[in-house]
Amino acid sequence: MPALRLLGRKWLAASDDLVFPSIFELLFRFVWLVLIALVVEVLYPITWQCQTDGWHGGAFVRLYLCGTLALQASLMLLLAALAQQSARGTITETDARKLVSPLLLLKVFLVLPEVALNVMGTMWMFCEVIECSVTDTFSSIVIQSIVLFNWVQLALTVFGLFMVFDPLGSVNYGDMQDTPNQVRHHRKVTGLWSRRFRWAFCWLKRDEHGKEAFQQVAALLSALFRSTDLVPSDVVAGCVLLRVRQKRETREMRRIQMLNDEEPIYTTDVNKVFSETPPWMNLDDALHYLRLSIAAYGWPYVLYRHCLTGFCKLARHLTCCCCRPKNSIVTDDNCCLCHFAGVKYMSKLSADDIIFASFNNRVFELPFCVISDHDRESIVVAVRGSISLRDIFTDFSAGSEKFEADGLPEDTAAHKGMSMGAAKMLRRLLPVLDRAFAQFPHYDLVLTGHSLGAGVAVLVALKLRPKYPQLKVFAFSTPAGLISREAARFTESFVMTIGVGDDLVMRLSVHSIENLRTKVIQTIHATKLPKYRIMLNGFGYALFGVPARDLESTWRRPEDLEANNSDDSDALLVQGVSTEAALVSRNVFARRFSSARLFTPGRILHIARRKRMGIENNEADEEGKVRTQEPTYEMRWACPEDFMELQVMPRMLLDHLPENVHRTIQTIIEEKHSYRVTQVV
């Protein structure tokens, strides 16, 4: 940061990104240099005995050997200087790396003689146009290998240039600080991303709303990091630094709580947590409906969970193509009804219990199942979560649009992609529900889903509630940016949302990503470490965690690194950073992709893994000692504002997976029952 400028344009790399590539190439070329030196020692005297001593014989070979040896030595010196210069200064101290650009330009120009020498080596070894044969097997193998590896290395160089090429790199960062230029640049970047999507995901253009989704996601990606002059490696380094910063803030909050002797907000007492909730809000029912939510994922999830035996588990539930009934309750499945087989296997239900199953997966259109749950006397609508590229585009069509339903405020806004998905789903769902309740009129209606499916289930429930006022929703790992605050408060009476640990999606919204962008910029300005050190520390953090010493030693002034949670666009989120960082971050923070803030719906139960404070407790009885284990998890009722900031944590992706959510709830229920048994004994 800022982006590297070379050959009169900006590239998607910075001057401090060349440390590791230069070192790796330096080691590689050192091996080449040793091998070519050995070959020169052996072959150079022999070249004077070639059949021809002109440019078709010995002189040609001597020029190639000596030129390759000299070029490799020169490139090694250049790479060493490039690595040393690129490692100087912090991420924002570009003046310390002012020699990187000329050194890199020199390396680019040295590609020309390298290509020429490689052409000479190819002519000598593979084309048989040079009258100077090599009888030494070792030398022949070395030369051929070096020639081949050189072509591979040149191809990788071209690929690397393609990856860091910025099509809009001719635009200066300073020219985009005024509003007209920002708007024009935003339109160019949006158009660029849209063209990339149309080329990379050409099969999605056939979908009814494919082009609209491309435009929505392109506008979002353009808006998030426009005019920030960040490169991809800056974002990665910023996330590593945010992990350190957030751990430091967590430590400080715990220290304050201990000093003030505050009561913990989380508890392991399940009965206490559910003491003031309606009877239908309980973990046993939540676990039951989560199984049905997972079942909606179909056969891909079975193969994901059982890589080796998945097909065998599905085989007995498959339907022969010839035996498939004409009036099937299943739509848009393949000829063997593989998705339907996955639903039956995971839900442990028979085909007669599944009233309807739609597996039509398009942009803004999700598969869902309608199930008759006789054990709990309910009609269950299970909506599938994200599992395909089409679902990803639905997820990232994250702009807000007006959402209307009876009982909601007039200015209610909702996630655009999920709102459109709910509207499409309703058209197919309403006739199915009419038939289902005609058959089971005394049953209740329950909607459930995980991730994207949870968000769509909530919006569908809001549309259905006037007709089915007693409906309930069990939502798991619901995305944060779903619906307006007042509408989210309205859903607390009939929606139970469960999130686990550091789940990324529970905190993922346009607003939280924009806040992350701002914090990345401020944190980069606050660190005193160079980028290569940050990257090395990141690998260490992933393996061993963040050591306590790094919580203070990473920053220029750690005592000033304090977060301010105000949402005022004129307020700074971080105090004590440089004036440049403050101005840049405030300018970025004031720009919003969406003016409406969206929140997590329902009454939110947040479950976190309990930090072990001691060893197991011991209880004595007449026969000896009974050892009772401490609960693994603790929980609390949270509010949507608790999930407005992204947390960079090791388990932020793992905690979102449905099998981990299932395992967490199941563990809590099992430990609750085992604790009761221990008390009785």
Side-chain angles (χ1 to χ4, degrees):
M1 181 182 182
L4 177 69
R5 296 198 66 85
L6 189 69
L7 300 176
R9 66 181 304 111
K10 184 179 69 173
W11 300 77
L12 296 177
S15 57
D16 52 359
D17 288 340
L18 304 174
V19 177
F20 296 118
S22 298
I23 292 176
F24 290 148
E25 187 176 350
L26 179 63
L27 296 175
F28 199 50
R29 290 190 181 276
F30 175 75
V31 176
W32 290 356
L33 183 65
V34 173
L35 292 175
I36 198 68
L38 293 175
V39 171
V40 169
E41 181 70 22
V42 174
L43 292 185
Y44 191 81
I46 302 177
T47 58
W48 298 98
Q49 304 173 7
C50 292
Q51 296 91 329
T52 305
D53 195 33
W55 290 110
H56 292 280
F60 183 92
V61 174
R62 287 192 296 273
L63 177 62
Y64 170 75
L65 293 175
C66 295
T68 302
L69 188 65
L71 182 62
Q72 295 297 333
S74 302
L75 284 172
M76 285 183 61
L77 293 175
L78 181 60
L79 288 169
L82 198 57
Q84 188 269 337
Q85 288 294 318
S86 183
R88 298 182 63 181
T90 64
I91 296 178
T92 56
E93 293 174 350
T94 54
D95 289 340
R97 299 184 295 273
K98 59 184 178 182
L99 296 180
V100 169
S101 293
L103 289 173
L104 189 59
L105 190 61
L106 178 60
K107 187 179 184 304
V108 171
F109 287 146
L110 287 179
V111 170
L112 298 177
E114 191 173 11
V115 171
L117 288 171
N118 220 38
V119 170
M120 295 173 66
T122 304
M123 294 171 60
W124 179 27
M125 285 288 106
F126 299 100
C127 298
E128 298 181 356
V129 297
I130 305 301
E131 300 176 358
C132 189
S133 59
V134 179
T135 57
D136 182 62
T137 305
F138 170 77
S139 300
S140 178
I141 293 175
V142 168
I143 295 297
Q144 291 176 3
S145 301
I146 287 178
V147 169
L148 292 175
F149 280 124
N150 261 327
W151 285 123
V152 172
Q153 187 265 335
L154 288 170
L156 291 176
T157 300
V158 173
F159 177 74
L161 290 174
F162 173 77
M163 292 299 294
V164 299
F165 178 77
D166 186 357
L168 301 176
S170 59
V171 180
N172 290 321
Y173 173 70
D175 295 340
M176 294 185 295
Q177 300 311 302
D178 57 322
T179 302
N181 285 336
Q182 281 187 10
V183 172
R184 284 195 297 270
H185 183 68
H186 175 58
R187 290 174 180 170
K188 289 181 180 179
V189 176
T190 300
L192 175 65
W193 277 108
S194 184
R195 289 192 297 273
R196 287 173 175 173
F197 289 147
R198 287 198 297 269
W199 176 79
F201 308 107
C202 54
W203 67 92
L204 297 183
K205 290 191 295 185
R206 297 192 298 269
D207 288 11
E208 180 183 355
H209 298 284
K211 293 182 179 179
E212 182 181 356
F214 290 162
Q215 191 69 19
Q216 286 286 325
V217 180
L220 174 62
L221 293 178
S222 171
L224 287 179
F225 290 97
R226 70 180 184 218
S227 305
T228 58
D229 210 21
L230 289 172
V231 299
S233 62
D234 291 334
V235 178
V236 175
C239 290
V240 174
L241 292 171
L242 277 178
R243 173 73 185 103
V244 181
R245 172 183 168 184
Q246 288 167 354
K247 184 168 183 178
R248 183 179 185 276
E249 292 172 353
T250 302
R251 186 191 65 174
E252 292 300 315
M253 286 191 297
R254 287 178 181 167
R255 185 177 63 85
I256 293 172
Q257 288 176 355
M258 291 178 63
L259 291 176
N260 296 337
D261 197 20
E262 296 179 2
E263 183 179 352
I265 57 177
Y266 285 87
T267 179
T268 58
D269 189 346
V270 180
N271 295 327
K272 179 181 178 182
V273 171
F274 289 94
S275 61
E276 299 180 358
T277 59
W280 67 270
M281 283 192 185
N282 60 81
L283 289 179
D284 292 298
D285 284 347
L287 183 64
H288 173 75
Y289 292 118
L290 176 58
R291 291 194 188 102
L292 300 182
S293 299
I294 296 175
Y297 281 101
W299 68 264
Y301 188 82
V302 178
L303 296 183
Y304 157 68
R305 292 293 293 158
H306 309 282
C307 299
L308 300 178
T309 61
F311 179 77
C312 299
K313 295 180 182 299
L314 288 172
R316 59 194 177 96
H317 297 283
L318 295 175
T319 302
C320 177
C321 299
C322 302
C323 304
R324 181 172 177 174
K326 293 182 179 179
N327 297 324
S328 176
I329 60 173
V330 182
T331 63
D332 303 297
D333 203 350
N334 52 35
C335 64
C336 296
L337 301 182
C338 292
H339 279 295
F340 192 55
V343 172
K344 289 189 290 183
Y345 169 74
M346 288 186 288
S347 64
K348 309 302 180 186
L349 297 173
S350 65
D352 296 335
D353 294 329
I354 302 176
I355 301 173
F356 179 77
S358 169
F359 298 104
N360 187 30
N361 189 201
R362 296 287 184 268
V363 177
F364 304 142
E365 191 165 358
L366 298 178
F368 66 95
C369 301
V370 181
I371 299 167
S372 57
D373 185 0
H374 302 298
D375 291 338
R376 287 168 169 77
E377 295 188 344
S378 59
I379 301 298
V380 182
V381 180
V383 189
R384 199 194 74 180
S386 303
I387 202 173
S388 68
L389 280 173
R390 289 180 168 91
D391 300 332
I392 299 300
F393 276 97
T394 302
D395 282 317
F396 281 91
S397 296
S400 59
E401 70 171 12
K402 188 174 182 180
F403 185 81
E404 296 180 348
D406 291 348
L408 294 182
E410 293 184 358
D411 58 346
T412 297
H415 185 287
K416 182 178 179 63
M418 297 183 197
S419 176
M420 295 182 68
K424 280 184 164 292
M425 179 178 163
L426 274 171
R427 288 197 287 268
R428 308 189 80 178
L429 179 61
L430 286 173
V432 178
L433 290 181
D434 291 338
R435 294 198 306 269
F437 282 104
Q439 187 176 0
F440 306 103
H442 63 285
Y443 277 23
D444 296 324
L445 177 60
V446 176
L447 291 92
T448 184
H450 171 265
S451 188
L452 172 63
V456 173
V458 172
L459 297 181
V460 170
L462 285 169
K463 294 284 190 178
L464 291 175
R465 198 160 185 266
K467 187 175 182 180
Y468 304 98
Q470 301 302 318
L471 67 76
K472 305 292 185 293
V473 180
F474 288 86
F476 304 93
S477 304
T478 314
L482 180 63
I483 202 164
S484 302
R485 185 64 182 97
E486 288 302 317
R489 188 174 288 110
F490 174 76
T491 62
E492 291 179 2
S493 61
F494 62 93
V495 177
M496 180 182 181
T497 299
I498 297 181
V500 173
D502 301 318
D503 188 344
L504 171 68
V505 177
M506 285 284 291
R507 297 169 172 83
L508 191 63
S509 65
V510 173
H511 190 85
S512 64
I513 295 177
E514 289 176 324
N515 287 348
L516 177 71
R517 168 196 65 189
T518 308
K519 285 191 173 183
V520 163
I521 295 174
Q522 296 168 333
T523 308
I524 284 175
H525 281 82
T527 185
K528 65 179 182 181
L529 298 180
K531 188 184 293 182
Y532 79 94
R533 280 280 306 278
I534 297 172
M535 296 298 192
L536 287 176
N537 289 348
F539 284 110
Y541 299 158
L543 295 175
F544 309 108
V546 182
R549 64 178 181 275
D550 286 5
L551 301 181
E552 305 296 335
S553 62
T554 304
W555 318 106
R556 288 191 177 100
R557 298 182 61 189
E559 66 277 3
D560 289 336
L561 195 67
E562 299 174 355
N564 181 358
N565 294 323
S566 172
D567 288 329
D568 183 6
S569 61
D570 294 329
L572 295 179
L573 292 178
V574 174
Q575 307 295 330
V577 296
S578 65
T579 304
E580 178 189 2
L583 293 174
V584 172
S585 59
R586 182 166 54 188
N587 183 30
V588 173
F589 190 70
R591 296 195 303 269
R592 290 291 182 187
F593 175 72
S594 176
S595 57
R597 291 184 59 181
L598 305 180
F599 296 82
T600 307
R603 192 161 187 182
I604 307 168
L605 179 68
H606 185 239
I607 305 172
R609 180 174 291 273
R610 188 168 181 264
K611 295 187 177 297
R612 299 292 182 180
M613 302 302 294
I615 313 174
E616 298 175 347
N617 298 323
N618 295 330
E619 289 185 1
D621 62 2
E622 295 177 356
E623 298 180 357
K625 293 184 178 180
V626 179
R627 179 168 292 181
T628 60
Q629 189 175 8
E630 294 180 353
T632 307
Y633 296 95
E634 54 189 5
M635 64 202 77
R636 72 179 177 103
W637 292 109
C639 61
E641 286 78 9
D642 295 331
F643 301 94
M644 295 303 294
E645 297 294 334
L646 283 173
Q647 300 290 322
V648 182
M649 296 293 178
R651 290 189 58 86
M652 60 185 184
L653 296 177
L654 294 176
D655 284 339
H656 180 69
L657 298 179
E659 63 270 20
N660 290 334
V661 179
H662 183 277
R663 187 183 303 115
T664 299
I665 299 176
Q666 189 174 39
T667 301
I668 294 173
I669 294 174
E670 291 174 352
E671 290 179 348
K672 177 184 176 183
H673 292 325
S674 63
Y675 180 71
R676 284 179 178 175
V677 171
T678 304
Q679 282 186 323
V680 172
V681 174

